[in-house]
Amino acid sequence: MSQKIFLTSALAMGVFAPAFAEMTDSNTFPNASQGEYMQENTRYIGAATSTNMAGVYEDGATVDAVAEYDIIDYIVNAGQYLPADSETVITCPAGSFCPGISGNVNYNQNSDQGIQTCPNGYTNSVAGSSANTDCYRTCATTDITHATAITGNVYFNGTNGDGVKACTPTACDNGYHPKSATPNLTTVIGTSEAGTGYTSNDSTGSEFGTNGMSNSVISGDSMAFAVDYGNKGMIKGHGRCSTQSGSRGNMSGGTYPDITIRADLTNQPGQYCYCHLDSYTPVSGSAIALSGPWVFYYDFGPAGACAAYCERGCARNLLYGDSGNLAFRAAVFGAIESSPAMCEANTITINWSNADANDISANNAGTATYGEDVRTPVKAATKKGQTFRGWRFSAPEQTNLP
């Protein structure tokens, strides 16, 4: 019976006895004059001397052991901040922006450090935003004239002026249609480094790029070409051989300031090769139609040589990275005017009865842009025994399909 009581008491003592971590022994006491400190949970053997304890040695005397600390410096990069009463730098939350803090940051119990609220009117942002220009509001139909449905955002421009619109209409008023933004190719592709490959309809000259291009991309079109710029996207275009002469002029400052650029190029075939871009396709995106002029590339001499090599020459000169090629690319890209997404007025074909084609063409009367002018032909056909009264519009009859 007593044995049981003894064991139980021993267990109870084990439960309530304080636990001590095993101390580390050291025979060397830190030298304060050399910036050394006593460390936690350590037994300094034989170190309780007046030399070590600031000259204190009398019975019952007191010596202070002062704990000293180093302040921790935190690095707060752009897109991050240090919350109040926290020792961990974290990602900037949505609805704010965090520009980062130059220099080191210390713990603060009461204040967040490195975070700012997005400005009024532009209260949205994605996590990790680093500038007030990352703050945005959603687009409204009033942001694009004639839009009836819209997507995208308007971003704060860094001042109190109008925001930067990245809006795309998905539906427009009657008489208008959505038109995608025309990108600035000089910005999105650049004119400072070579691309990754090209293709043309001359199979012997094709050099295929990372997007897996092949001649099937442009089959059936003898003057088509495509140039691949890797993660910057792809362009497609056409070469054309014309009897209209042209010149690059002399390269100056990495450009061809006097290169021949023509809005129209109707006289063909000929010896003078021009290049034109039809579309730009971003990686994992849809093709965006481009509207630009014809830019002179080369005088081939014989028209047959131009027909054989024009589109390949356009592709190569838009691909390669030596100075002449980059200057040519700058001219071609610079000839295309970038524009935001919009609701573009519809073009309506007008079928003029009793009017000669030349009289229609002379006044550019064959089409009208919705909301703009209607131009009539120079004159109507003369009919014996009849006086011309004028034209009036009538919607064409609709054919009911089965």
Side-chain angles (χ1 to χ4, degrees):
M1 183 71 176
S2 60
Q3 187 177 16
K4 288 184 179 180
I5 294 173
F6 173 78
L7 290 174
T8 303
S9 300
L11 289 172
M13 289 175 63
V15 170
F16 293 103
F20 294 99
E22 186 175 350
M23 299 181 72
T24 300
D25 289 343
S26 175
N27 291 310
T28 304
F29 190 77
N31 189 332
S33 65
Q34 295 182 9
E36 297 176 353
Y37 297 88
M38 293 179 287
Q39 299 303 304
E40 298 169 309
N41 201 37
T42 302
R43 177 174 58 187
Y44 294 98
I45 298 173
T49 67
S50 62
T51 301
N52 292 336
M53 294 192 295
V56 175
Y57 61 88
E58 295 178 352
D59 185 41
T62 300
V63 64
D64 295 330
V66 180
E68 296 187 13
Y69 295 84
D70 288 325
I71 295 176
I72 298 174
D73 292 327
Y74 299 93
I75 297 174
V76 180
N77 295 316
Q80 299 178 321
Y81 81 108
L82 182 62
D85 196 29
S86 174
E87 298 178 279
T88 303
V89 174
I90 63 174
T91 300
C92 195
S96 302
F97 67 98
C98 302
I101 300 177
S102 177
N104 295 321
V105 180
N106 303 136
Y107 167 87
N108 188 301
Q109 184 177 2
N110 301 311
S111 299
D112 295 333
Q113 298 180 84
I115 185 170
Q116 298 183 47
T117 302
C118 280
N120 290 336
Y122 301 88
T123 55
N124 303 307
S125 72
V126 299
S129 294
S130 60
N132 58 9
T133 51
D134 295 326
C135 299
Y136 65 90
R137 64 171 174 82
T138 55
C139 294
T141 54
T142 52
D143 287 314
I144 293 183
T145 304
H146 298 297
T148 57
I150 198 167
T151 61
N153 302 316
V154 180
Y155 292 86
F156 187 66
N157 69 354
T159 68
N160 291 323
D162 293 335
V164 179
K165 295 178 181 178
C167 305
T168 301
T170 56
C172 301
D173 289 333
N174 290 338
Y176 298 83
H177 63 273
K179 180 180 180 296
S180 298
T182 301
N184 186 326
L185 296 181
T186 302
T187 300
V188 298
I189 294 176
T191 57
S192 61
E193 60 184 6
T196 59
Y198 81 90
T199 185
S200 72
N201 277 323
D202 179 349
S203 59
T204 61
S206 297
E207 298 179 9
F208 303 111
T210 57
N211 287 350
M213 295 182 297
S214 67
N215 287 335
S216 62
V217 174
I218 44 180
S219 61
D221 193 341
S222 62
M223 297 297 282
F225 64 84
V227 179
D228 179 14
Y229 297 99
N231 61 7
K232 298 177 181 178
M234 178 193 295
I235 58 164
K236 292 184 180 180
H238 281 82
R240 180 175 289 181
C241 296
S242 175
T243 58
Q244 295 178 273
S245 64
S247 171
R248 286 201 193 190
N250 295 318
M251 188 170 67
S252 175
T255 65
Y256 286 112
D258 301 316
I259 195 169
T260 302
I261 298 176
R262 298 184 183 276
D264 267 331
L265 200 64
T266 55
N267 298 331
Q268 57 177 321
Q271 70 191 61
Y272 301 101
C273 173
Y274 289 79
C275 308
H276 173 272
L277 299 187
D278 302 318
S279 67
Y280 164 70
T281 305
V283 175
S284 302
S286 301
I288 301 170
L290 301 176
S291 178
W294 294 90
V295 181
F296 178 78
Y297 160 53
Y298 192 67
D299 176 1
F300 278 97
C306 183
Y309 298 108
C310 180
E311 94 288 343
R312 179 163 30 133
C314 291
R316 282 172 169 257
N317 271 252
L318 289 167
L319 171 73
Y320 294 142
D322 54 323
S323 59
N325 296 138
L326 293 176
F328 178 74
R329 190 198 306 180
V332 174
F333 285 3
I336 297 175
E337 185 176 353
S338 60
S339 64
M342 65 181 70
C343 284
E344 186 175 60
N346 295 339
T347 299
I348 301 170
T349 300
I350 303 175
N351 298 316
W352 298 100
S353 64
N354 295 297
D356 183 80
N358 290 332
D359 290 331
I360 295 172
S361 177
N363 281 357
N364 195 22
T367 62
T369 301
Y370 191 84
E372 297 184 9
D373 300 336
V374 173
R375 298 170 297 275
T376 63
V378 174
K379 62 181 183 297
T382 300
K383 293 190 175 185
K384 292 182 178 181
Q386 299 183 38
T387 300
F388 176 66
R389 181 184 298 172
W391 289 281
R392 61 182 178 181
F393 286 123
S394 175
E397 293 183 5
Q398 301 294 319
T399 303
N400 294 322
L401 299 177

